[in-house]
């Protein structure tokens, strides 16, 4: 279907990304999956081409374009090639907005050039063992001591934690029994700070190229100058970026579902059963046609939400609707595509198997499907 989301400048960027992915990512991707991480060199190469600094100010090496559509293109082109840029997506779509919104002038001068050229890698540490989606229940603490905060606690499921030079840690600096959401603060922990430890690399079902770590903090002295924004205001900051974070998951879900359909069309044209190409069977054609319609419906929903985000009017409830619908659509489509592969779909040498295992987390991270339903229900006035 026709899309009216992108300008000629966006399409020029798409051509750049497509060429880069085909030449610099696809040939090496299998090895990166085995390593469980992207190489640092990839970030530097992307930084040199200007892919990482689109939203950063020109005076710090960026392009000064606060336009989420460039982020969309990065995801779409990666999934079109049946790979993922993993922690690149996390850095640009989830973490960078915190720096852009809340870093002061001194922090911008200190960190933004490295973020733009790919020499500073980031992670955000929110989730704790036992808290899950309940961010207000976190127990990691930071106590002010002179010009420092003394940070103690543990975080888990931290994407990009292995290579991160800067980790935004959400910590409790005060406790208000009447308001669990109050008293949370963002502190930027830098690699090499005494007491900051990287734990084990977590082995996941899918998303193998995306390193996921446990992190711990034992009496880490974080300079107050590394605080992002105001003390005690972090819960509001987290909520401010959630619509984009959830939209990011939805964008990836639709792009992956589209890639699954393309891979299934190719496979069923080549595969024969009873002497006939599988693609010629009515069931195959009907399934693929139905899935194509579902993905196009989800794409239309995505494109409307992307424009709303660019215009600054995407609500939390609408972002929840988009994430819920698109991730559930992805799950159904990828499952049905795998079925059309038959037994070979269960073999990891075929792309549909990776698309299947990668898809499962989309209904969990950035808020589970159940949490999305709670948000939408509240928007409907159901309490």
């Amino acid at each position: 279907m026709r899309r009216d989301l992108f300008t000629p400048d966006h399409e020029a960027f798409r051509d750049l990304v497509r060429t880069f992915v085909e030449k610099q990512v696809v040939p090496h991707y299998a090895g990166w999956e085995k390593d469980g991480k992207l190489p640092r060199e990839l970030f530097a190469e992307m930084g040199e081409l200007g892919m990482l600094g689109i939203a950063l100010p020109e005076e710090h090496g960026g392009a000064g374009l606060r336009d989420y559509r460039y982020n969309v293109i990065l995801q779409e082109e990666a999934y079109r090639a049946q790979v993922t840029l993993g922690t690149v997506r996390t850095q640009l779509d989830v973490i960078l907005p915190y720096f852009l919104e809340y870093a002061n002038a001194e922090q911008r001068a200190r960190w933004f050039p490295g973020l733009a050229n790919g020499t500073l890698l980031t992670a955000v540490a929110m989730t704790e063992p036992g808290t899950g989606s309940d961010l207000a229940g976190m127990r990691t603490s930071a106590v002010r001591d002179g010009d420092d905060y003394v940070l103690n606690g543990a975080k888990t499921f931290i994407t990009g934690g292995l290579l991160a030079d800067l980790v935004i840690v959400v910590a409790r600096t005060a406790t208000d029994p009447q308001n669990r959401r109050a008293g949370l603060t963002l502190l930027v922990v830098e690699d090499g700070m005494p007491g900051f430890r990287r734990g084990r690399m977590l082995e996941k079902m899918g998303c193998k190229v995306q390193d996921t770590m446990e992190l711990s903090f034992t009496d880490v002295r974080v300079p107050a100058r590394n605080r992002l924004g105001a003390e005690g205001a972090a819960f509001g900051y987290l909520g401010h970026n959630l619509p984009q974070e959830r939209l990011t998951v939805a964008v990836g879900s639709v792009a992956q579902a589209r890639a699954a359909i393309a891979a299934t069309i190719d496979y069923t044209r080549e595969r024969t059963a009873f002497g006939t190409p599988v693609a010629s069977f009515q069931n195959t054609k009907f399934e693929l046609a139905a899935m194509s319609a579902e993905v196009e419906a989800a794409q239309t929903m995505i494109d409307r939400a992307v424009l709303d985000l660019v215009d600054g009017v995407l609500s939390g409830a609408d972002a929840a609707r988009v994430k819920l619908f698109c991730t559930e659509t992805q799950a159904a489509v990828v499952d049905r595509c795998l079925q059309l592969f038959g037994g070979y779909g269960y073999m990891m040498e075929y792309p549909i198997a990776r698309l299947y295992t990668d898809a499962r987390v989309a209904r969990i991270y950035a808020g589970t499907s159940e949490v999305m339903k709670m948000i939408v229900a509240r928007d409907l006035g159901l309490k």
Side-chain angles (χ1 to χ4, degrees):
M1 294 179 66
R2 184 180 65 86
R3 302 174 72 188
D4 56 5
L5 187 63
F6 303 108
T7 68
D9 286 343
H10 293 119
E11 295 302 342
F13 181 72
R14 185 184 297 278
D15 291 339
L16 172 68
V17 175
R18 182 172 297 182
T19 300
F20 179 82
V21 169
E22 289 175 351
K23 292 183 177 180
Q24 303 300 120
V25 178
V26 172
H28 311 290
Y29 193 76
W32 297 345
E33 279 197 309
K34 291 179 181 178
D35 292 341
K37 65 180 187 301
L38 295 174
R40 289 191 72 98
E41 295 76 21
L42 182 71
F43 291 86
E45 292 169 2
M46 294 182 72
E48 185 175 350
L49 291 171
M51 295 181 187
L52 303 183
I54 294 289
L56 289 163
E58 293 183 70
E59 61 265 32
H60 297 306
L65 299 173
R66 296 289 294 272
D67 187 343
Y68 179 73
R69 286 173 288 186
Y70 290 99
N71 302 42
V72 172
I73 290 168
L74 277 169
Q75 283 212 75
E76 289 183 345
E77 289 306 309
Y79 290 129
R80 177 183 176 275
Q82 298 175 3
V83 298
T84 173
L85 294 175
T87 48
V88 173
R89 181 186 72 168
T90 308
Q91 176 150 326
L92 294 182
D93 295 350
V94 179
I95 302 166
L96 188 58
Y98 292 108
F99 286 104
L100 288 169
E101 292 293 335
Y102 307 115
N104 59 36
E106 184 274 331
Q107 292 168 337
R108 287 175 172 238
R110 186 157 40 115
W111 293 327
F112 280 17
L115 295 176
N117 65 29
T119 58
L120 277 183
L121 307 187
T122 63
V124 60
M126 299 185 199
T127 306
E128 297 182 0
T131 62
S133 298
D134 181 19
L135 295 178
M138 66 179 56
R139 292 173 291 182
T140 295
S141 66
V143 178
R144 187 68 181 258
D145 182 23
D147 293 331
D148 298 331
Y149 288 91
V150 180
L151 178 67
N152 284 279
K155 302 287 185 177
T156 192
F157 305 146
I158 308 306
T159 299
L162 179 66
L163 299 178
D165 304 290
L166 306 174
V167 181
I168 300 176
V169 180
V170 186
R172 183 166 293 285
T173 50
T175 301
D176 181 353
Q178 305 302 316
N179 184 1
R180 296 171 65 244
R181 299 180 176 185
L184 298 178
T185 301
L186 300 182
L187 299 175
V188 179
V189 174
E190 300 183 51
D191 184 35
M193 285 184 171
F196 169 37
R197 298 285 183 269
R198 304 175 204 266
R200 64 191 177 107
M201 180 102 79
L202 300 173
E203 187 174 354
K204 306 183 297 298
M205 175 193 297
C207 301
K208 298 291 188 179
V209 81
Q210 186 169 294
D211 62 279
T212 305
M213 301 288 296
E214 293 177 331
L215 304 179
S216 66
F217 310 91
T218 304
D219 293 331
V220 180
R221 299 193 73 88
V222 183
R225 71 189 187 114
N226 277 26
R227 187 185 69 220
L228 274 184
E231 182 175 297
F235 196 91
Y237 298 162
L238 300 175
H240 177 75
N241 193 50
L242 275 175
Q244 176 169 312
E245 183 175 348
R246 287 167 176 162
L247 179 57
T248 292
V249 176
V251 167
S253 292
V254 172
Q256 285 179 301
R258 191 180 295 280
I261 292 173
T264 306
I265 290 172
D266 290 342
Y267 177 79
T268 56
R269 281 174 171 165
E270 297 172 359
R271 178 71 173 170
T272 61
F274 310 107
T276 304
V278 173
S280 68
F281 296 158
Q282 185 183 70
N283 178 70
T284 304
K285 290 186 286 188
F286 280 11
E287 278 288 86
L288 286 167
M291 288 187 285
S292 175
E294 291 162 15
V295 168
E296 291 303 332
Q299 187 70 71
T300 300
M301 195 177 193
I302 287 282
D303 289 358
R304 179 68 262 170
V306 168
L307 290 176
D308 282 351
L309 181 69
V310 171
D311 292 339
V313 296
L314 180 64
S315 70
D318 282 346
R321 288 183 176 93
V322 173
K323 181 182 186 293
L324 176 64
F325 183 81
C326 293
T327 57
E328 295 289 344
T329 297
Q330 175 195 20
V333 165
V334 175
D335 183 77
R336 288 149 69 191
C337 284
L338 190 148
Q339 188 72 18
L340 292 174
F341 272 75
Y344 288 103
Y346 203 64
M347 302 297 111
M348 290 305 297
E349 65 187 276
Y350 285 83
I352 194 65
R354 184 174 70 239
L355 287 165
Y356 183 87
T357 55
D358 284 357
R360 188 59 188 89
V361 74
R363 289 176 284 161
I364 298 173
Y365 61 9
T368 64
S369 289
E370 291 73 25
V371 170
M372 297 305 99
K373 291 174 184 176
M374 290 171 56
I375 294 169
V376 173
R378 282 201 300 268
D379 190 57
L380 297 174
L382 303 173
K383 298 182 179 180

